[in-house]
Amino acid sequence: MKHIRNFCIIAHIDHGKSTLADRLLQQTKTVDERDLKEQVLDDMDLERERGITIKSHAIQMEYNFEGEDYILNLIDTPGHVDFSYEVSRSIAACEGALLIVDASQGIQAQTISNLYLALDHDLVIIPILNKMDLPGAMPEEVKDQIEELILCDRNEIIPASGKTGMGVDDILEAIVHRIPPPKGNPEAPLKALIFDSVFNSFRGIIAYFKVIDGEIRKNDKVKFINTGKEYIADEVGVLKLKQQPRAVIKTGDVGYIISGIKEAREVKVGDTITHLERPTTSAVKGFEDVKPMVFAGIYPVDTEDFEELRDSMGKLQLNDASLVFEPESSAALGFGFRCGFLGMLHMEIIQERLEREFGMTVITTVPNVSYHAFKKRDELIIVNNPTDLPDPGAMTHVEEPYINAQIITAGDYVGQIMTLCIEKRGILKNQVYLTTNRVELTFEMPMAEVVFDFYDKLKSISRGYASFDYHPIEYRESHLVKLDILLNGKQVDALSAIIHRDKAYEYGKKICLKLKELIPKQQFEIAIQAGVGTKIIARETIKAMRKDVTAKCYGGDISRKRKLLEKQKAGKKRMRQVGNVEIPQSAFMAVLKIND
């Protein structure tokens, strides 16, 4: 055990952690020169194109240092906030972390939030100043920021460059010297933490784990504590670039288990594996189910593709256990699915993967969040869809999720960013100057205000210089109302929204005006109304197409003309009672972009 080192890499997006991981693999000869390519651990096309890590990857390196052979387990983590639960489990499987900071950009919001996660798990932090080869690098300034942030000695910061390979030997030496070996009892019953899982179309679900106590052998009978499922370990092994089977995985090491699991729901990140005959008395602490934060409807463009979409979603869920979905139907869009995502990036990735991997073109409805409605006898109803909100008379109050938002920006944009956050019902909690021109603002704000267009506005206000990070805190009581859209008195469910009372009029007015532009004229007058409960707060009218029925009455008495007009009026009234208003698809799509 004293020759094992388990570590992860934490950094903000695009600070070069995948490139630096490539250099470590190259230096330890884990990857042959012919297999070496950029971002060798990112195996999805989407990850390569966008330059982001979506799925965490683990890999084992062997390193000879001062005549001794060491095993270094690198657990690569996604940097994006939407995958923060995966990051926290990966961190729990490590004893140390490489904190990578871009020498030209300095410390960003996600660097800080992931660093706090690592410090909570008592990890040893090795600070690394990356991208030293860039002409815009500011090493002294960024070293000051790192010193202030983690209170380390200036000499402990390792200058490096993932592109040129500078500093890679120093990093490997620091991993061996500074990171402690794993602690654990080899004689105790088996206790292993699952920190990730992947789907293989031939072998089923493969779970990645770290052995905390005991050991696991091939053909052992094992049990997953939180799900209560029992399996036989058909194959266990270590994670090199390709999986390598082994007879046994011992205390402190990282490996994988294949046991023919077909259902993604049966393997949960954070679960504990133990032996069936000699189980451990305590599971690994900190297990929780992944909770989706953002909900949206996904519908096929052609309703005939519904079954195909169901298959595609099922296959996608095998690869991404944090996606949850259930069937729903809408009068306007037909049959589709109500899906839960970890955040906006996660939603975008799923949509893109559906199109690329399965050739499905889909329509996504307005993203919203989950609300808690309380009935008179303290009965809790979870509202994922505006139509689920109970009648106001039957409710005592509604609660919505709040987040703690961290924004790091240049001093010049503080005023505009504060205005934006306050418009979005944010409450300023803290303002700290990290350096003379870098400010960290902390806000508490409703999640519902962030999921729509907040991030785009933040980027445009700050000209791309603000970095944003958030984590959910709690549910709080708010004055929320359900805004209904009515066409000729008939409610259109797909256009309903849950919105703060103060913003209901403005939003209702915008939707009515938009629908007036987009719904074609009929033979009768159409009333478009926005209402809260029984009260109508906005109205627009689409005039009827009119035929001039009096054209044939040239000359003569006015009463003849009046008689014809009255007859036409009665016909239009009757038509309005039986007539049905068809809402074009473009109207639904336009309402999604109402704030553009």
Side-chain angles (χ1 to χ4, degrees):
M1 262 168 67
K2 69 175 192 291
H3 289 112
I4 296 175
R5 300 288 183 272
N6 298 320
F7 68 98
C8 63
I9 299 181
I10 51 180
H12 190 75
I13 298 168
D14 202 29
H15 277 206
K17 63 180 190 300
S18 295
T19 315
L20 204 62
D22 291 351
R23 295 293 83 78
L24 293 173
L25 297 177
Q26 203 177 354
Q27 193 68 18
T28 54
K29 300 191 170 45
T30 307
V31 182
D32 287 339
E33 288 297 328
R34 62 180 181 188
D35 290 335
L36 195 70
K37 54 186 176 182
E38 292 290 311
Q39 294 168 267
V40 71
L41 291 177
D42 291 347
D43 47 16
M44 227 185 282
D45 289 342
L46 203 56
E47 291 183 311
R48 297 178 159 281
E49 267 172 45
R50 289 183 169 226
I52 57 172
T53 304
I54 295 168
K55 202 90 188 86
S56 38
H57 304 265
I59 192 161
Q60 188 177 89
M61 300 176 268
E62 286 168 8
Y63 180 56
N64 187 290
F65 180 66
E66 293 175 352
E68 304 237 3
D69 285 328
Y70 288 90
I71 290 173
L72 313 179
N73 289 311
L74 161 63
I75 297 165
D76 188 20
T77 60
H80 201 277
V81 54
D82 286 5
F83 312 109
S84 58
Y85 179 65
E86 276 193 41
V87 177
S88 71
R89 293 301 91 206
S90 301
I91 284 175
C94 300
E95 282 80 41
L98 306 183
L99 174 74
I100 296 181
V101 181
D102 185 330
S104 61
Q105 290 183 44
I107 284 168
Q108 303 281 319
Q110 283 161 19
T111 319
I112 293 179
S113 71
N114 286 348
L115 174 69
Y116 288 158
L117 271 176
L119 292 172
D120 284 347
H121 286 90
D122 296 329
L123 264 60
V124 172
I125 308 291
I126 299 176
I128 295 164
L129 199 55
N130 198 19
K131 302 195 184 181
M132 286 291 284
D133 58 311
L134 290 183
M138 310 172 289
E140 295 310 313
E141 203 175 302
V142 179
K143 275 184 182 177
D144 291 342
Q145 293 178 19
I146 296 173
E147 258 187 299
E148 278 178 43
L149 184 67
I150 58 172
L151 307 173
C152 67
D153 194 291
R154 202 178 183 83
N155 303 328
E156 288 176 12
I157 302 168
I158 303 171
S161 164
K163 191 179 273 185
T164 62
M166 164 192 174
V168 173
D169 285 325
D170 298 340
I171 294 170
L172 288 165
E173 193 179 319
I175 290 168
V176 172
H177 279 315
R178 297 192 212 169
I179 295 175
K183 299 179 187 73
N185 181 357
E187 305 303 319
L190 170 69
K191 177 157 80 173
L193 164 75
I194 297 178
F195 62 84
D196 198 9
S197 66
V198 293
F199 176 69
N200 180 308
S201 46
F202 302 107
R203 313 290 307 265
I205 303 281
I206 302 170
Y208 294 171
F209 61 84
K210 178 199 172 187
V211 181
I212 292 167
D213 290 329
E215 60 182 36
I216 183 167
R217 292 180 176 274
K218 189 181 173 177
N219 297 328
D220 277 355
K221 288 183 179 172
V222 294
K223 179 183 180 180
F224 289 14
I225 290 182
N226 288 292
T227 56
K229 304 277 184 185
E230 296 167 9
Y231 306 101
I232 290 173
D234 296 337
E235 184 182 304
V236 294
V238 294
L239 297 147
K240 299 282 183 161
L241 194 56
K242 302 264 190 306
Q243 290 156 353
Q244 291 189 1
R246 294 276 192 273
V248 59
I249 304 288
K250 298 192 170 180
T251 312
D253 215 344
V254 172
Y256 69 90
I257 176 170
I258 297 176
S259 48
I261 305 166
K262 300 284 188 293
E263 292 275 322
R265 287 182 287 274
E266 290 180 24
V267 178
K268 294 190 171 170
V269 173
D271 204 344
T272 307
I273 308 175
T274 189
H275 279 133
L276 200 57
E277 278 91 29
R278 188 171 161 235
T280 178
T281 47
S282 62
V284 180
K285 288 188 177 63
F287 173 77
E288 56 177 284
D289 279 331
V290 179
K291 294 182 184 69
M293 292 295 293
V294 174
F295 294 85
I298 288 186
Y299 293 86
V301 170
D302 192 343
T303 42
E304 290 169 7
D305 296 338
F306 175 70
E307 286 302 326
E308 205 180 320
L309 181 62
R310 186 200 292 272
D311 283 353
S312 306
M313 298 281 274
K315 285 174 185 163
L316 202 53
Q317 197 179 35
L318 291 171
N319 264 315
D320 186 348
S322 46
L323 168 70
V324 285
F325 65 91
E326 56 182 42
E328 73 165 0
S329 64
S330 145
L333 301 170
F335 290 103
F337 295 95
R338 175 111 196 124
C339 307
F341 308 99
L342 299 176
M344 293 299 282
L345 177 81
H346 187 213
M347 174 174 150
E348 208 180 305
I349 298 281
I350 293 290
Q351 200 175 334
E352 194 144 335
R353 285 182 72 183
L354 278 172
E355 285 185 18
R356 288 199 179 189
E357 294 170 28
F358 304 99
M360 297 294 308
T361 319
V362 291
I363 294 169
T364 312
T365 64
V366 185
N368 62 7
V369 296
S370 174
Y371 298 94
H372 287 175
F374 288 86
K375 284 191 151 183
K376 292 278 167 74
R377 296 193 186 112
D378 276 347
E379 182 192 340
L380 168 66
I381 293 170
I382 293 173
V383 181
N384 291 335
N385 211 335
T387 46
D388 302 340
L389 194 72
D391 188 67
M395 281 189 308
T396 55
H397 64 280
V398 184
E399 291 180 351
E400 64 177 331
Y402 265 71
I403 58 167
N404 194 330
Q406 273 177 314
I407 298 166
I408 293 181
T409 182
D412 311 349
Y413 309 114
V414 172
Q416 292 159 292
I417 288 173
M418 278 189 179
T419 310
L420 171 70
C421 293
I422 289 162
E423 258 175 36
K424 298 278 185 189
R425 298 192 281 135
I427 304 156
L428 180 66
K429 284 286 167 191
N430 200 358
Q431 180 178 351
V432 182
Y433 274 82
L434 302 172
T435 64
T436 48
N437 196 35
R438 290 176 75 74
V439 190
E440 181 188 13
L441 301 169
T442 310
F443 282 90
E444 283 181 3
M445 57 203 298
M447 180 78 184
E449 298 285 350
V450 173
V451 299
F452 210 48
D453 56 357
F454 175 78
Y455 194 58
D456 297 340
K457 285 187 173 171
L458 179 70
K459 283 288 182 201
S460 56
I461 282 174
S462 66
R463 299 185 192 163
Y465 281 109
S467 67
F468 171 68
D469 191 77
Y470 68 87
H471 59 265
I473 38 178
E474 60 185 355
Y475 275 78
R476 291 186 191 169
E477 192 176 331
S478 285
H479 291 295
L480 299 169
V481 290
K482 180 181 164 207
L483 182 77
D484 293 316
I485 301 296
L486 302 105
L487 290 183
N488 279 348
K490 286 182 189 163
Q491 203 169 310
V492 185
D493 282 348
L495 296 178
S496 297
I498 295 175
I499 199 158
H500 195 269
R501 189 185 292 273
D502 298 347
K503 296 194 173 182
Y505 169 73
E506 184 191 341
Y507 186 76
K509 188 76 181 159
K510 273 185 187 171
I511 286 197
C512 290
L513 283 166
K514 201 79 175 166
L515 290 176
K516 185 181 178 181
E517 285 171 29
L518 293 165
I519 295 175
K521 281 189 172 187
Q522 308 285 333
Q523 292 281 345
F524 50 91
E525 198 175 85
I526 304 170
I528 306 168
Q529 295 167 309
V532 172
T534 52
K535 189 178 176 187
I536 300 298
I537 57 170
R539 172 183 170 133
E540 293 292 329
T541 307
I542 299 174
K543 295 290 182 198
M545 284 198 269
R546 244 188 101 194
K547 180 184 172 189
D548 189 359
V549 288
T550 60
K552 59 189 175 186
C553 302
Y554 43 90
D557 190 5
I558 186 70
S559 58
R560 280 182 67 204
K561 287 186 179 180
R562 195 165 288 138
K563 188 177 168 187
L564 281 169
L565 288 169
E566 288 297 325
K567 193 176 173 187
Q568 186 189 34
K569 194 173 166 186
K572 291 225 182 273
K573 192 176 175 185
R574 192 163 61 251
M575 198 188 281
R576 182 177 169 177
Q577 286 165 359
V578 295
N580 217 341
V581 183
E582 281 290 313
I583 305 176
Q585 194 78 47
S586 60
F588 291 99
M589 301 319 291
V591 168
L592 305 191
K593 300 184 176 74
I594 198 88
N595 285 353
D596 284 6

